[in-house]
PDB file of all heavy atoms in Angstrom:
ATOM      1  N   THR B1068      16.113 -73.207 -10.445  1.00 96.00           N
ATOM      2  CA  THR B1068      17.344 -73.753 -11.001  1.00 96.00           C
ATOM      3  C   THR B1068      17.774 -72.892 -12.170  1.00 96.00           C
ATOM      4  O   THR B1068      16.937 -72.237 -12.811  1.00 96.00           O
ATOM      5  CB  THR B1068      17.154 -75.198 -11.503  1.00 96.00           C
ATOM      6  OG1 THR B1068      16.153 -75.203 -12.524  1.00 96.00           O
ATOM      7  CG2 THR B1068      16.751 -76.132 -10.383  1.00 96.00           C
ATOM      8  N   PRO B1069      19.066 -72.897 -12.501  1.00 92.00           N
ATOM      9  CA  PRO B1069      19.533 -72.095 -13.648  1.00 92.00           C
ATOM     10  C   PRO B1069      18.880 -72.534 -14.964  1.00 92.00           C
ATOM     11  O   PRO B1069      18.595 -71.707 -15.818  1.00 92.00           O
ATOM     12  CB  PRO B1069      21.042 -72.353 -13.658  1.00 92.00           C
ATOM     13  CG  PRO B1069      21.368 -72.741 -12.257  1.00 92.00           C
ATOM     14  CD  PRO B1069      20.178 -73.511 -11.770  1.00 92.00           C
ATOM     15  N   GLY B1070      18.625 -73.812 -15.103  1.00 90.00           N
ATOM     16  CA  GLY B1070      18.087 -74.310 -16.359  1.00 90.00           C
ATOM     17  C   GLY B1070      16.591 -74.137 -16.523  1.00 90.00           C
ATOM     18  O   GLY B1070      16.113 -73.739 -17.583  1.00 90.00           O
ATOM     19  N   GLN B1071      15.848 -74.414 -15.473  1.00 92.00           N
ATOM     20  CA  GLN B1071      14.381 -74.386 -15.540  1.00 92.00           C
ATOM     21  C   GLN B1071      13.775 -73.120 -14.957  1.00 92.00           C
ATOM     22  O   GLN B1071      12.572 -72.896 -15.094  1.00 92.00           O
ATOM     23  CB  GLN B1071      13.804 -75.599 -14.804  1.00 92.00           C
ATOM     24  CG  GLN B1071      14.204 -76.936 -15.399  1.00 92.00           C
ATOM     25  CD  GLN B1071      13.718 -77.082 -16.820  1.00 92.00           C
ATOM     26  OE1 GLN B1071      12.568 -76.763 -17.142  1.00 92.00           O
ATOM     27  NE2 GLN B1071      14.585 -77.544 -17.714  1.00 92.00           N
ATOM     28  N   GLY B1072      14.584 -72.306 -14.325  1.00 94.00           N
ATOM     29  CA  GLY B1072      14.057 -71.083 -13.730  1.00 94.00           C
ATOM     30  C   GLY B1072      13.239 -71.374 -12.484  1.00 94.00           C
ATOM     31  O   GLY B1072      13.497 -72.335 -11.764  1.00 94.00           O
ATOM     32  N   LEU B1073      12.233 -70.554 -12.257  1.00 96.00           N
ATOM     33  CA  LEU B1073      11.370 -70.689 -11.080  1.00 96.00           C
ATOM     34  C   LEU B1073      10.136 -71.489 -11.447  1.00 96.00           C
ATOM     35  O   LEU B1073       9.378 -71.110 -12.338  1.00 96.00           O
ATOM     36  CB  LEU B1073      10.936 -69.315 -10.588  1.00 96.00           C
ATOM     37  CG  LEU B1073      11.940 -68.567  -9.735  1.00 96.00           C
ATOM     38  CD1 LEU B1073      11.779 -67.069  -9.912  1.00 96.00           C
ATOM     39  CD2 LEU B1073      11.791 -68.945  -8.273  1.00 96.00           C
ATOM     40  N   GLN B1074       9.939 -72.579 -10.731  1.00 96.00           N
ATOM     41  CA  GLN B1074       8.789 -73.436 -11.014  1.00 96.00           C
ATOM     42  C   GLN B1074       7.998 -73.691  -9.742  1.00 96.00           C
ATOM     43  O   GLN B1074       8.576 -73.964  -8.686  1.00 96.00           O
ATOM     44  CB  GLN B1074       9.248 -74.768 -11.616  1.00 96.00           C
ATOM     45  CG  GLN B1074       9.869 -74.626 -12.997  1.00 96.00           C
ATOM     46  CD  GLN B1074      10.166 -75.987 -13.596  1.00 96.00           C
ATOM     47  OE1 GLN B1074      11.065 -76.679 -13.166  1.00 96.00           O
ATOM     48  NE2 GLN B1074       9.373 -76.355 -14.580  1.00 96.00           N
ATOM     49  N   PHE B1075       6.688 -73.659  -9.888  1.00 95.00           N
ATOM     50  CA  PHE B1075       5.775 -73.865  -8.780  1.00 95.00           C
ATOM     51  C   PHE B1075       5.726 -75.338  -8.393  1.00 95.00           C
ATOM     52  O   PHE B1075       5.559 -76.207  -9.258  1.00 95.00           O
ATOM     53  CB  PHE B1075       4.389 -73.372  -9.205  1.00 95.00           C
ATOM     54  CG  PHE B1075       3.277 -73.683  -8.247  1.00 95.00           C
ATOM     55  CD1 PHE B1075       3.106 -72.952  -7.083  1.00 95.00           C
ATOM     56  CD2 PHE B1075       2.379 -74.705  -8.529  1.00 95.00           C
ATOM     57  CE1 PHE B1075       2.056 -73.232  -6.217  1.00 95.00           C
ATOM     58  CE2 PHE B1075       1.328 -74.987  -7.678  1.00 95.00           C
ATOM     59  CZ  PHE B1075       1.168 -74.245  -6.515  1.00 95.00           C
ATOM     60  N   LEU B1076       5.856 -75.578  -7.099  1.00 96.00           N
ATOM     61  CA  LEU B1076       5.768 -76.949  -6.592  1.00 96.00           C
ATOM     62  C   LEU B1076       4.374 -77.248  -6.065  1.00 96.00           C
ATOM     63  O   LEU B1076       3.704 -78.163  -6.539  1.00 96.00           O
ATOM     64  CB  LEU B1076       6.795 -77.157  -5.477  1.00 96.00           C
ATOM     65  CG  LEU B1076       8.224 -77.432  -5.932  1.00 96.00           C
ATOM     66  CD1 LEU B1076       9.209 -77.046  -4.855  1.00 96.00           C
ATOM     67  CD2 LEU B1076       8.381 -78.897  -6.310  1.00 96.00           C
ATOM     68  N   PHE B1077       3.948 -76.545  -5.046  1.00 92.00           N
ATOM     69  CA  PHE B1077       2.600 -76.711  -4.492  1.00 92.00           C
ATOM     70  C   PHE B1077       2.245 -75.553  -3.574  1.00 92.00           C
ATOM     71  O   PHE B1077       3.108 -74.781  -3.168  1.00 92.00           O
ATOM     72  CB  PHE B1077       2.408 -78.037  -3.723  1.00 92.00           C
ATOM     73  CG  PHE B1077       3.649 -78.671  -3.177  1.00 92.00           C
ATOM     74  CD1 PHE B1077       4.401 -78.045  -2.187  1.00 92.00           C
ATOM     75  CD2 PHE B1077       4.079 -79.898  -3.641  1.00 92.00           C
ATOM     76  CE1 PHE B1077       5.538 -78.631  -1.674  1.00 92.00           C
ATOM     77  CE2 PHE B1077       5.220 -80.503  -3.133  1.00 92.00           C
ATOM     78  CZ  PHE B1077       5.956 -79.865  -2.147  1.00 92.00           C
ATOM     79  N   GLU B1078       0.940 -75.478  -3.296  1.00 92.00           N
ATOM     80  CA  GLU B1078       0.431 -74.478  -2.375  1.00 92.00           C
ATOM     81  C   GLU B1078      -0.443 -75.158  -1.337  1.00 92.00           C
ATOM     82  O   GLU B1078      -1.233 -76.046  -1.667  1.00 92.00           O
ATOM     83  CB  GLU B1078      -0.407 -73.410  -3.087  1.00 92.00           C
ATOM     84  CG  GLU B1078      -0.931 -72.341  -2.121  1.00 92.00           C
ATOM     85  CD  GLU B1078      -2.026 -71.460  -2.709  1.00 92.00           C
ATOM     86  OE1 GLU B1078      -2.699 -71.885  -3.655  1.00 92.00           O
ATOM     87  OE2 GLU B1078      -2.203 -70.340  -2.182  1.00 92.00           O
ATOM     88  N   TYR B1079      -0.297 -74.723  -0.103  1.00 93.00           N
ATOM     89  CA  TYR B1079      -1.116 -75.227   0.991  1.00 93.00           C
ATOM     90  C   TYR B1079      -1.874 -74.074   1.628  1.00 93.00           C
ATOM     91  O   TYR B1079      -1.347 -72.979   1.793  1.00 93.00           O
ATOM     92  CB  TYR B1079      -0.258 -75.920   2.050  1.00 93.00           C
ATOM     93  CG  TYR B1079       0.240 -77.262   1.600  1.00 93.00           C
ATOM     94  CD1 TYR B1079       1.427 -77.382   0.891  1.00 93.00           C
ATOM     95  CD2 TYR B1079      -0.496 -78.410   1.851  1.00 93.00           C
ATOM     96  CE1 TYR B1079       1.868 -78.610   0.442  1.00 93.00           C
ATOM     97  CE2 TYR B1079      -0.056 -79.649   1.416  1.00 93.00           C
ATOM     98  CZ  TYR B1079       1.131 -79.734   0.706  1.00 93.00           C
ATOM     99  OH  TYR B1079       1.561 -80.958   0.272  1.00 93.00           O
ATOM    100  N   PHE B1080      -3.106 -74.357   1.961  1.00 91.00           N
ATOM    101  CA  PHE B1080      -3.937 -73.383   2.672  1.00 91.00           C
ATOM    102  C   PHE B1080      -4.764 -74.136   3.689  1.00 91.00           C
ATOM    103  O   PHE B1080      -5.457 -75.098   3.332  1.00 91.00           O
ATOM    104  CB  PHE B1080      -4.828 -72.612   1.699  1.00 91.00           C
ATOM    105  CG  PHE B1080      -5.772 -71.655   2.361  1.00 91.00           C
ATOM    106  CD1 PHE B1080      -5.303 -70.547   3.025  1.00 91.00           C
ATOM    107  CD2 PHE B1080      -7.149 -71.878   2.325  1.00 91.00           C
ATOM    108  CE1 PHE B1080      -6.173 -69.660   3.644  1.00 91.00           C
ATOM    109  CE2 PHE B1080      -8.020 -70.999   2.939  1.00 91.00           C
ATOM    110  CZ  PHE B1080      -7.531 -69.893   3.598  1.00 91.00           C
TER     111      PHE B1080
END
Side-chain angles (χ1 to χ4, degrees):
Chain B
T1068 60
Q1071 298 299 315
L1073 279 150
Q1074 293 186 289
F1075 172 77
L1076 279 156
F1077 24 65
E1078 181 194 23
Y1079 286 88
F1080 176 67

